[in-house]
Amino acid sequence: MNAADLIAACLAFEEEHGVHELLILLNDTILARAQAAGMNIEYEDDGDDEPGAYHTVQ
C-alpha cells in the first residue's frame, strides 16, 4: 500500500463512519504501533473525572 492508497482508504472510511471515528481509528493505530515498538506513550484521557490525570501505554 502506498501513500495514495492509504489516503483513499482513510477518505472512504471517513465517508462511511465520519471524521470522529476516523480520528479514533488513527489514534488507536498509532498507539498500537508505538506499543509494539516498545515505546511508552503518556496521554491525558479527556473522559477522565480528574483533569490532568495522565495514563501511560507501555
Side-chain angles (χ1 to χ4, degrees), residues 12-13 24 26 28 33-35 38 42-43 45-46 49 54 57:
F13 186 91
I24 290 172
L26 293 173
D28 289 349
R33 291 187 67 171
Q35 186 177 17
E42 191 173 273
Y43 67 98
D45 186 357
D46 291 337
D49 293 335
Y54 287 89
V57 176

Side-chain angles (χ1 to χ4, degrees), residues 6-26:
L6 180 59
I7 291 169
C10 286
L11 290 174
F13 186 91
E14 179 190 357
E15 281 185 30
E16 188 171 333
H17 301 282
V19 69
H20 182 72
E21 291 298 319
L22 173 61
L23 293 175
I24 290 172
L25 175 65
L26 293 173

